[in-house]
């Protein structure tokens, strides 16, 4: 049997974003929960978030972000070999959304697959893309994180309603002579699966419909404090390991782009990693909320648009969330 000839390295060559137009303030959220702008800012750092329009889907947002990423990369859609859609809020068990994104962006020769690792999904998909390119399975891969979290959030849930937003971020990963995506550090703690989980399940919905029992709205539930403690204790060592594997020191980083779950988690990780003030830290959560698998590419895109980081600098990514799952890697900024 022959082995496919892979590339020496893989790197991000383009980036695109889609931020829905509707901006939602803390005051608006507090019409449905007993809370305050002050509490939300202090406990999460969130000032505003964006909500998709009723007819704006995960696939629509992913298509928009992916098309922009392709345009910025100069890669022709027909040359894309694989489309990976990281999402946990595509509202269909089957089919996944990636095939529709593949069709709509004109990636006529590409395979397509959804990846659900919740808020860690983008980092997982990025690693799969890098491995596909280096193994010779693909030359160009579109990686999108797209979420319409508002379809799965109960607006009356005091612990969840203020946290989440909608949006999509995408990158193009291509073959390169030198590595631009470092080794991934990934892990999972399925014993804590119940800490962030969707209720009711599809089967519970079917049962309620069949028996006429009352039906709760489908929504995510979270043991916030437990997840918070897990994130601030376990994500620092995982991120440090990604730096070590890439051979990059914290003071060599251009940017730290962690999943935007809570500004207090971001600041805690900055301390744990002893990041010097020269490292730009993504704080997109302030205006975007938690967009799950879209948060890392959206946050990097904001830093690039704001001129806060430069192409070629190393950036540290770490995604973490339901599962529980996490994944971290160092990348070269496109
Ligand atoms: O993206 C996937 C991963 N997700 C995460 O990483 C999220 C991790 N968790 C968090 O970010 C935080 O746990 C939250 C922001 C969700 C909540 O913040 P917290 O500091 O953990 O709040 P808490 O649940 O410990 O509640 C503290 C207090 C309680 O009152 P008492 O018992 O101290 O009197 C709550 O009843 O705050 C109260 N509270 C609220 N007060 C005003 C809870 N929710 C609210 C609210 N407004 N919305």
């Amino acid at each position: 049997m022959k082995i496919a000839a892979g590339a020496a390295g893989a790197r991000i060559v383009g980036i695109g974003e889609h931020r829905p137009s509707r901006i939602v303030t803390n005051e608006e959220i507090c019409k449905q929960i007993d809370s305050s702008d002050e509490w939300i800012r202090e406990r999460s750092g969130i000032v505003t978030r964006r909500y998709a329009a009723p007819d704006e889907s995960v696939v629509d947002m992913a298509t928009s972000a992916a098309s922009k990423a392709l345009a910025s990369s100069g890669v022709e859609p027909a040359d894309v070999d694989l489309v990976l859609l990281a999402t946990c809020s595509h509202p269909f068990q089957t089919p996944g959304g990636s095939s529709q994104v593949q069709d709509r962006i004109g990636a006529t020769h590409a395979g397509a697959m959804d990846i659900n690792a919740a808020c860690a999904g983008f980092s997982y998909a990025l690693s799969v893309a890098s491995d596909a390119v280096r193994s010779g399975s693909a030359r160009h891969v579109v990686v999108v994180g797209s979420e319409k979290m508002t379809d799965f959030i109960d607006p009356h849930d005091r612990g969840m309603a203020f946290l989440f937003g909608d949006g999509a971020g995408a990158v193009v990963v291509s073959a390169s002579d030198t590595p631009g995506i470092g080794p991934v550090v990934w892990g999972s703690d399925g014993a804590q699966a119940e800490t962030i989980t969707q209720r009711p399940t599809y089967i519970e919905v079917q049962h309620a419909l069949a028996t006429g029992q009352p039906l709760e709205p489908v929504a995510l539930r979270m043991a916030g404090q437990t997840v918070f403690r897990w994130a601030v204790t376990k994500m620092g060592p995982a991120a440090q390991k990604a730096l070590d594997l890439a051979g990059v020191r914290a003071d060599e980083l251009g940017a730290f782009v962690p999943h935007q779950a809570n500004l207090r988690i971001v600041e805690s990780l900055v301390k744990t990693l002893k990041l010097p003030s020269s490292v730009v830290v993504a704080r997109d959560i302030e205006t975007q909320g938690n967009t799950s698998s879209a948060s890392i590419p959206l946050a990097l895109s904001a830093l690039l648009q704001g001129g806060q980081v430069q192409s070629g600098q190393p950036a540290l990514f770490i995604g973490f969330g339901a599962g529980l799952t996490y994944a971290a890697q160092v990348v070269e900024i496109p």
Side-chain angles (χ1 to χ4, degrees):
M1 191 187 296
K2 290 182 182 171
I3 298 172
R11 65 177 53 248
I12 298 174
V13 296
I15 184 163
E17 63 166 51
H18 178 92
R19 295 179 199 260
S21 58
R22 186 170 164 229
I23 294 170
V24 176
T25 62
N26 290 338
E27 285 80 5
E28 183 175 341
I29 298 286
C30 292
K31 285 180 186 158
Q32 308 226 51
I33 56 170
D34 176 15
S35 189
S36 66
D37 175 50
E38 192 190 1
W39 190 95
I40 295 171
R41 285 181 193 229
E42 193 187 301
R43 293 298 176 114
S44 70
I46 299 168
V47 180
T48 57
R49 73 288 290 144
R50 287 170 184 255
Y51 282 6
D55 62 351
E56 195 174 21
S57 70
V58 165
V59 168
D60 294 336
M61 294 189 285
T63 301
S64 164
S67 297
K68 290 175 195 164
L70 275 171
S72 86
S73 72
V75 172
E76 290 299 325
D79 290 333
V80 173
D81 299 305
L82 182 62
V83 175
L84 298 175
L85 173 61
T87 185
C88 62
S89 55
H90 178 59
F92 296 84
Q93 182 75 3
T94 308
S98 52
S99 289
Q100 291 162 73
V101 177
Q102 166 267 316
D103 176 56
R104 291 203 209 165
I105 63 176
T108 43
H109 302 111
M113 171 169 71
D114 286 22
I115 291 182
N116 183 347
C119 304
F122 180 79
S123 288
Y124 272 84
L126 187 61
S127 178
V128 171
S130 170
D131 291 351
V133 166
R134 290 187 303 111
S135 69
S137 302
R139 291 160 303 154
H140 305 288
V141 183
V142 169
V143 181
V144 199
S146 181
E147 303 285 8
K148 191 172 180 183
M149 298 305 289
T150 48
D151 278 344
F152 289 89
I153 299 303
D154 176 354
H156 304 287
D157 183 340
R158 207 164 166 238
M160 295 290 272
F162 63 91
L163 270 182
F164 291 90
D166 303 328
V171 298
V172 178
V173 172
S174 294
S176 104
D177 293 336
T178 53
I181 299 174
V184 70
V185 173
W186 48 23
S188 169
D189 183 1
Q192 298 204 66
E194 292 296 320
T195 54
I196 312 177
T197 188
Q198 176 200 311
R199 279 288 181 280
T201 67
Y202 294 108
I203 292 162
E204 287 163 350
V205 170
Q206 281 173 334
H207 179 74
L209 289 173
T211 59
Q213 284 177 3
L215 189 55
E216 276 183 68
V218 173
L220 289 169
R221 310 283 168 202
M222 178 170 71
Q225 263 190 16
T226 309
V227 179
F228 188 98
R229 274 197 299 272
W230 171 78
V232 297
T233 54
K234 304 280 186 191
M235 295 307 100
Q240 183 59 54
K241 198 169 166 194
L243 283 173
D244 296 343
L245 288 179
V248 173
R249 290 194 319 269
D251 63 4
E252 293 172 323
L253 283 172
F256 176 47
V257 190
H259 167 48
Q260 304 288 292
N262 184 320
L263 192 60
R264 289 189 293 139
I265 297 176
V266 174
E267 305 300 359
S268 163
L269 293 176
V270 168
K271 273 194 195 140
T272 306
L273 290 164
K274 298 187 174 62
L275 297 184
S277 58
S278 58
V279 179
V280 174
V281 177
R283 295 184 175 89
D284 204 37
I285 185 152
E286 292 170 340
T287 54
Q288 200 67 29
N290 178 342
T291 55
S292 190
S293 71
S295 83
I296 290 176
L298 276 172
L300 179 63
S301 176
L303 294 182
L304 276 162
Q305 284 183 18
Q308 290 161 271
V309 294
Q310 273 114 46
S311 173
Q313 289 181 312
L316 173 62
F317 291 172
I318 181 160
F320 52 89
L324 296 170
T325 55
Y326 63 87
Q329 66 264 100
V330 175
V331 307
E332 211 169 275
I333 295 173

